[in-house]
DNA sequence: CGGTCCATTGATACCTGTCAATCGCCGTGG
DNA sequence: CCACGGCGATTGACAGGTATCAATGGACCG
């Protein structure tokens, strides 16, 4: 089922092979779990648009941009944020390789949030018009696409739960556990990873201040729950961390 | 474009006419704004399942239920909530006639939240299997369906913004303004309406306590922003209310 | 080596939660 | 018809969790 593909683009590759490898890499991650067969994959490859590099800090799309494409992250990390009428940002999510960006823009044909790369990243552009045509005669892909949109709804609901009735300690533990499980699902270590976002961005996402995040990190460190050095983090007691997330343990 | 349909089911109606009127009423509201033509509407009617009454307080679906259908609210109001591992509810949304329920269940074939009627209500069941078949060869409807899912994502993002960086006063003003505009969009008065949910449910949704909601109502009343008697509410200064939502006015 | 930005830590203030008492509406039953 | 009881809502006093403000520390970069 898994097709062998060059992880790095070879020198001398044509535009077509570039496109193909682009599509496959990110779409593999997106689609394989859902059981697309090779035939479907090939057809999918054909509609995938160009690969695009996004340097750290650069926007992939901005609030108000007209909606043309979805973006599959091939490499790197992104954040999406809204801006309220005071001009204050609210981060609505952090996305990593293998995840899809831009689904909130379908409803009104324009983006409702801004997507910015947290590090030098790479995405595949998926023109939505072409995708829709394809969806119409590929039931498997259609189903898969609906699952992905639904998953986004579910994800946001759990953030609402987090923001609505968790204390700071619980929120931060939940944040770490969430990152951990996403890295694990992608084959990375669930216990040692880099925080790709600043303390300020974490705080913004969790509805807390940068100082609170800092204090929570110190507290967790003191408790022996984790080790942290700048953005490098190691979870020493994932079980206890999960317990705190669940609210069954207060963390001293 | 708007087809004339009996608002109330006539005595002596056959099962088929019942189904048809059911489908039309709720789906009209769902689909007309998106520009479905009559032909599409007729085909849509055919897959709509039975109409179902849901008495006040009764669940339409529960967390963990296997996913079979989406539900279009024909009449009444619902709330959806998640439950964290401590067993604490977090309301994720209030839905009214013309809105669609259950889209979060597509991702894992089971419901991630519980939907409960806030008053005696009525829904149309839309079997998802049938809907998918239909979507495959009705591009207009497919597009419309994607818009609705995307709209749900957008809605939840704005709740995240509300929970993540608004103060209590701002949250509550935003809540009222949101209800107001939704009633207006449905042809009801945007200034006078019934709160279908208890203070406790509002507080839960906004991440506040029932006491805070009570105090905010009193404060708004004192400011001359609204009049309230039990669940009947009248917005006296919608403009100022919107200003508070935007954060441009502090409300004394 | 110095500047800048981000992170950490401490002191204090404020918002909202918690606890408690009272009120008022409403349905029930005498 | 009225008394009673129950539940939701209101209001007040107080406490606690985070935000805010301020100072310091440390990493990265020119």
């Amino acid at each position: 089922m898994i097709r062998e593909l060059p992880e790095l683009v070879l020198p001398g590759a044509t535009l077509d092979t570039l496109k193909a490898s682009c599509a496959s890499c990110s779409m593999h991650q997106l689609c394989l779990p859902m059981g697309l067969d090779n035939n479907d994959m090939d057809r999918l490859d054909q509609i995938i648009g160009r690969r695009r590099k996004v340097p750290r800090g650069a926007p992939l799309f901005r609030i108000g941009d007209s909606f043309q494409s979805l973006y599959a992250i091939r490499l790197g990390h992104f954040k999406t944020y809204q801006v309220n009428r005071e001009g204050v940002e609210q981060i609505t999510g952090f996305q990593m390789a293998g995840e899809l960006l831009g689904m909130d823009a379908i409803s009104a044909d324009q983006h409702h949030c801004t997507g910015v790369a947290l590090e030098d990243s790479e995405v595949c552009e998926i023109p939505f018009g072409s995708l829709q045509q394809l969806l119409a005669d590929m039931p498997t892909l259609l189903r898969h696409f609906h699952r992905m949109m639904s998953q986004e709804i579910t994800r946001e609901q759990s953030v609402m739960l987090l923001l609505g009735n968790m204390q700071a300690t619980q929120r931060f533990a939940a944040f770490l556990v969430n990152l951990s499980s996403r890295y694990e699902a992608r084959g990375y270590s669930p216990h040692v990873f880099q925080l790709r976002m600043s303390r300020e961005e974490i705080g913004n996402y969790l509805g807390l201040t940068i100082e609170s995040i800092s204090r929570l990190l110190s507290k967790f460190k003191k408790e022996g729950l984790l080790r942290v050095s700048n953005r490098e983090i190691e979870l020493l007691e994932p079980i206890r961390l999960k317990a705190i997330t669940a609210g069954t343990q207060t963390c001293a």
Side-chain angles (χ1 to χ4, degrees), chain A residues 14-202:
Chain A
T14 66
L15 184 60
D16 279 344
T17 62
L18 278 177
K19 274 189 184 171
S21 90
C22 156
S24 314
C25 278
S26 77
M27 293 313 279
H28 257 171
Q29 297 170 77
L30 294 174
C31 299
L32 273 185
M34 312 312 281
L36 282 195
D37 60 30
N38 279 349
N39 186 37
D40 284 356
M41 287 294 295
D42 288 337
R43 300 195 50 192
L44 182 57
D45 285 355
Q46 288 163 25
I47 70 127
I48 302 287
R50 73 177 187 288
R51 191 167 57 178
R52 183 165 146 192
K53 284 183 189 297
V54 188
R56 172 194 171 93
L60 179 58
F61 50 81
R62 293 170 198 265
I63 299 171
D65 281 359
S66 88
F67 172 57
Q68 304 296 336
S69 305
L70 297 174
Y71 300 95
I73 305 178
R74 177 179 149 79
L75 204 72
H77 285 72
F78 283 79
K79 68 172 172 181
T80 49
Y81 61 85
Q82 300 207 133
V83 178
N84 68 13
R85 274 172 270 188
E86 296 166 81
V88 180
E89 292 183 12
Q90 168 67 41
I91 295 175
T92 51
F94 297 111
Q95 297 82 20
M96 54 179 69
E99 296 179 339
L100 203 58
L101 278 175
M103 290 183 288
D104 61 286
I106 297 171
S107 64
D109 278 319
Q110 74 178 43
H111 288 279
H112 286 97
C113 62
T114 297
V116 169
L118 293 175
E119 58 186 326
D120 290 353
S121 302
E122 222 173 284
V123 299
C124 280
E125 208 173 320
I126 306 171
F128 189 63
S130 320
L131 180 61
Q132 271 195 314
Q133 288 174 6
L134 196 63
L135 291 175
D137 47 75
M138 282 179 52
T140 319
L141 187 62
L142 180 63
R143 184 65 210 257
H144 173 56
F145 181 64
H146 290 162
R147 278 185 207 273
M148 293 210 302
M149 290 198 78
S150 175
Q151 206 167 24
E152 178 68 13
I153 292 174
T154 303
R155 183 192 72 78
E156 285 173 6
Q157 280 179 1
S158 59
V159 176
M160 287 170 65
L161 187 125
L162 179 146
L163 292 172
N165 69 25
M166 287 186 184
Q167 302 268 28
T169 308
Q170 228 175 329
R171 291 187 199 184
F172 188 55
F175 171 73
L176 292 174
V177 168
N178 175 271
L179 279 185
S180 170
S181 66
R182 281 158 76 194
Y183 284 123
E184 185 170 29
R186 278 160 186 77
Y188 299 104
S189 165
H191 302 130
V192 181
F193 51 88
Q194 290 271 339
L195 296 173
R196 306 304 163 106
M197 61 296 286
S198 68
R199 307 287 193 266
E200 185 165 12
E201 286 166 331
I202 298 173

